[in-house]
Amino acid sequence: MVNIKRRTVLGGGLATTLGMLMPHAVAKPAPRLSNFTAVAHADGKGKMPALASEYEYQVMLPWGDPLQPGGPAFTYPPNADHQPQQIGIGHDGMAFFSLGEHRGLLAINHEYGRNSHVLGFNTPRTHADVLTSQAAHGLSVVEIAERDGVWSNQKSDYARRIHVNSAVEFSGPVANHRLLKNPANNPYLGTISNCANGRTPWGTYLTCEENFNLYFGSAGSFTATPNQKRYGFTTYGGGYGWHLFDPRFDLSDKDYVNEGNRFGWVMEIDPMNPKAKPVKRTALGRFKHEGATAVEADDGRLLVYMGDDSRFEFIYRYVSDHPWRTMVQEGISPLDEGQLYVARFNDHGLGEWLLLDISNKTLSNEFIDQADVLLNARVAATLLGATPMDRPEWITKGLSGYMYCSLTNNDDREQPNAANQQAPNPHGHIIRFRDHVAGQHFLWETFLKSYDHYLGEGSLSSPDGLWADPDGRLFIATDGDQREGLNNQLLVADTTTGELRRLITGVPDCEITGFATTPDRRTMFVNIQHPGKGNPSRTNFPNPVDGTTVPRDCTLAIRRKDGGVVGS
Ligand code: FEO
Ligand code: CA
Ligand code: CA
């Protein structure tokens, strides 16, 4: 168990240690949820992942491997013919869809890969370079099977890549709106910056478009509108240079003036139906979506909780109009007809969901219709007085109806507010909230203040990926400046006792992210994103250390050597 100094936690007078995070005194000691040997802080300086000694891992699905057996093998750098048939880069959110014992589909988001990593240089020189970069992004669906404890990628009719040149559809209030049409009359194509994810109770996958603005730039004269500014569109963008060869991403090209409005959505994919087009569900609003956590409410309606990961942006909740089962039976997507809310965190542990609807005068004064509200959800949420947060990342449902949300960090915060009390907040925190009876109010409290835990053996910073298992464990993956150059890590918290243990440390400059488990939770898949930031002098993972081989993003299948539940 990690030693952490006792600290006072805000929001409800909770007491915590860095080994003991929890609020309420426990009458009698519960059996420990985690009994593995915590990985030491110092192990985070290695070039290879370090796991608790009771655990082992297998590397799977590295960037550039064939999507399925028989496909083009990895060569560096990849090319525009091969990359669409290979695993993408920037492994992030994912989900496992069982096809029976020891077999299933893994849907994996490929959030981003810098040109210096994917192409080996910064600025694309040809349209083929852009196509290669584009095909490295998006997501993969692969079929995997386990035999004698080893997972392998299978030849499969389900296997597919979806990227920014794949056909997609729009549904919900913004579908067919003029704000999605371009003078070029080009078809709806693609998804980008696929960060965290969700899965629906009817068995589909949700992929979330986060920093989509970074893939746009301007080859000519461009002045951002106020709404474009709010979504971060700039002349240079993120340096990908797609706009140099692909006019869809050129903000100065009047023929594609609304192309940017086609991104920033939650997109649904049916992994079991490879012929079905992905669908962007516009009722869930447009912002920099981190993830989309779908939960069934007591009355059967579908709730989807979503973070918008930028400094001072918000937490949202979508509520379907009717019980999701009824809607599915009637052939209506529960993600198409419903209402979008944004969170205001008040003092004393109370909070309020503010409805983003054009019937509100504050919004009808500003927007032309509900589609305009959803398309510019950030602007609408500000007008309603939502609480600006310290970069909301993942949200997951734990015990007792609590939704846990990581607020990764915010160096720019000058004014604290009820739910973000550290200013500046370089190391982040985790809050938890639960909806109150009537549904428009919620209760909330701070669960973990990583900014108070930064010093000491139990140090962590910048919590990002979260996954709560049904036993009360909270898996916490980090993405940011860990103490003394410690690699990013995966920790396991017991949400009842507050115990916190380090399960994995990654490799230099990588982020650990993404969670999926087999139904028996004996295998957990986690992702190693941007190892070495692509620099072979930092790490060559998953290759052995040689100082020259380009590192590759990949998935780890981890398990307890004794076959127990992962996290125990
Ligand atoms: Fe893609 Fe906010 O992480
Ligand atoms: Ca993240
Ligand atoms: Ca992050």
Side-chain angles (χ1 to χ4, degrees):
M1 180 167 133
V2 173
N3 280 318
I4 300 165
K5 272 203 209 151
R6 181 163 285 275
R7 304 270 182 179
T8 304
V9 172
L10 53 112
L14 314 180
T16 187
T17 67
L18 188 96
M20 286 293 179
L21 304 168
M22 258 321 274
H24 312 292
V26 177
K28 88 177 162 196
R32 273 188 168 164
L33 279 180
S34 295
N35 291 292
F36 60 83
T37 309
V39 174
H41 183 169
D43 285 344
K45 294 193 172 165
K47 298 254 184 201
M48 303 298 266
L51 272 70
S53 57
E54 296 83 359
Y55 283 73
E56 59 190 2
Y57 73 90
Q58 177 199 339
V59 171
M60 298 172 62
L61 306 169
W63 163 53
D65 260 22
L67 184 67
Q68 54 184 324
F74 179 67
T75 51
Y76 185 77
N79 62 52
D81 291 331
H82 288 175
Q83 181 65 79
Q85 305 172 64
Q86 296 170 324
I87 303 289
I89 199 168
H91 299 40
D92 205 329
M94 62 182 159
F96 181 81
F97 297 87
S98 181
L99 292 174
E101 238 184 313
H102 309 296
R103 183 174 286 268
L105 302 179
L106 204 52
I108 306 177
N109 287 350
H110 299 299
E111 186 185 30
Y112 81 95
R114 296 171 188 213
N115 288 345
S116 56
H117 194 181
V118 174
L119 304 173
F121 48 85
N122 287 326
T123 307
R125 298 160 185 164
T126 63
H127 188 215
D129 290 341
V130 170
L131 289 170
T132 305
S133 167
Q134 289 177 335
H137 291 71
L139 63 140
S140 299
V141 178
V142 291
E143 183 172 339
I144 55 173
E146 184 241 294
R147 195 164 172 189
D148 299 329
V150 179
W151 289 93
S152 60
N153 195 359
Q154 307 293 301
K155 188 101 184 146
S156 173
D157 290 340
Y158 297 114
R160 63 168 158 164
R161 284 295 320 281
I162 298 166
H163 50 69
V164 79
N165 293 308
S166 306
V168 299
E169 289 174 4
F170 282 82
S171 75
V174 192
N176 300 314
H177 199 277
R178 65 176 172 78
L179 290 170
L180 289 183
K181 310 262 177 164
N182 287 313
N185 203 25
N186 59 318
Y188 295 135
L189 292 180
T191 186
I192 23 175
S193 203
N194 303 80
C195 182
N197 67 297
R199 62 188 302 161
T200 63
W202 54 94
T204 59
Y205 183 70
L206 302 176
T207 185
C208 303
E209 298 175 342
E210 190 191 16
N211 293 305
F212 57 94
N213 59 311
L214 300 181
Y215 298 87
F216 288 78
S218 175
S221 158
F222 165 69
T223 307
T225 64
N227 286 352
Q228 282 178 315
K229 268 193 193 141
R230 181 64 185 268
Y231 284 84
F233 290 101
T234 62
T235 297
Y236 183 67
Y240 290 91
W242 290 3
H243 61 281
L244 301 175
F245 295 96
D246 185 342
R248 285 172 67 204
F249 297 94
D250 181 358
L251 294 164
S252 66
D253 192 322
K254 299 285 181 263
D255 284 341
Y256 296 91
V257 66
N258 286 325
E259 190 69 20
N261 291 341
R262 297 178 174 190
F263 298 93
W265 303 103
V266 173
M267 190 172 86
E268 184 180 18
I269 292 156
D270 185 352
M272 300 298 177
N273 186 359
K275 300 262 186 291
K277 274 190 201 173
V279 184
K280 298 200 181 188
R281 299 292 181 188
T282 62
L284 277 60
R286 173 171 168 267
F287 41 92
K288 295 196 184 185
H289 281 281
E290 179 77 16
T293 304
V295 168
E296 184 179 327
D298 290 345
D299 63 5
R301 287 186 293 171
L302 188 77
L303 308 175
V304 185
Y305 295 92
M306 302 170 284
D308 179 351
D309 178 11
S310 290
R311 295 181 180 104
F312 308 110
E313 291 296 342
F314 311 122
I315 294 171
Y316 296 81
R317 183 191 70 166
Y318 170 82
V319 186
S320 66
D321 281 344
H322 306 287
W324 70 263
R325 286 182 187 81
T326 316
M327 295 179 82
V328 167
Q329 276 162 14
E330 291 172 356
I332 300 164
S333 171
L335 298 172
D336 280 347
E337 296 184 7
Q339 295 185 305
L340 185 66
Y341 299 82
V342 65
R344 177 156 64 206
F345 292 80
N346 298 322
D347 290 332
H348 312 299
L350 296 174
E352 196 179 342
W353 292 112
L354 311 170
L355 178 62
L356 291 161
D357 192 90
I358 193 72
S359 62
N360 182 323
K361 251 205 152 347
T362 306
L363 300 183
S364 60
N365 285 341
E366 186 73 19
F367 299 98
I368 49 177
D369 54 20
Q370 181 64 11
D372 197 18
V373 169
L374 292 167
L375 204 130
N376 295 292
R378 283 182 159 187
V379 180
T382 295
L383 288 170
L384 295 187
T387 300
M389 308 296 288
D390 288 344
R391 297 185 52 201
E393 300 240 36
W394 289 53
I395 300 175
T396 185
K397 185 176 182 181
L399 298 183
S400 308
Y402 272 119
M403 306 301 301
Y404 291 78
C405 177
S406 48
L407 288 315
T408 195
N409 57 49
N410 186 351
D411 285 330
D412 293 349
R413 179 170 293 285
E414 292 175 356
Q415 296 299 323
N417 62 36
N420 305 271
Q421 295 201 346
Q422 185 77 0
N425 182 4
H427 304 303
H429 57 294
I430 298 174
I431 57 168
R432 60 182 192 177
F433 55 90
R434 52 183 171 186
D435 280 347
H436 200 37
V437 254
Q440 307 313 313
H441 295 88
F442 59 88
L443 303 173
W444 70 273
E445 61 192 12
T446 300
F447 175 71
L448 184 157
K449 297 158 100 176
S450 16
Y451 46 82
D452 272 357
H453 297 156
Y454 191 61
L455 303 175
E457 174 60 20
S459 176
L460 76 156
S461 178
S462 306
D464 186 344
L466 294 183
W467 183 66
D469 79 6
D471 297 333
R473 298 180 191 87
L474 180 67
F475 291 77
I476 305 170
T478 68
D479 170 27
D481 291 333
Q482 305 298 307
R483 184 181 160 214
E484 296 168 13
L486 178 73
N487 294 338
N488 275 299
Q489 48 182 321
L490 176 62
L491 301 126
V492 183
D494 178 331
T495 56
T496 306
T497 67
E499 187 181 346
L500 185 65
R501 291 181 189 222
R502 185 177 295 112
L503 179 60
I504 302 179
T505 58
V507 301
D509 305 327
C510 87
E511 166 184 350
I512 298 181
T513 183
F515 303 98
T517 66
T518 51
D520 63 8
R521 289 187 279 137
R522 263 57 184 180
T523 298
M524 175 183 272
F525 305 100
V526 295
N527 286 325
I528 300 289
Q529 193 189 93
H530 57 77
K533 293 203 165 93
N535 180 349
S537 71
R538 295 286 290 155
T539 178
N540 310 104
F541 190 74
N543 279 284
V545 178
D546 63 15
T548 56
T549 303
V550 171
R552 295 157 73 189
D553 303 51
C554 60
T555 300
L556 305 183
I558 66 167
R559 77 184 122 224
R560 274 193 74 101
K561 293 172 185 168
D562 66 6
V565 165
V566 172
S568 65

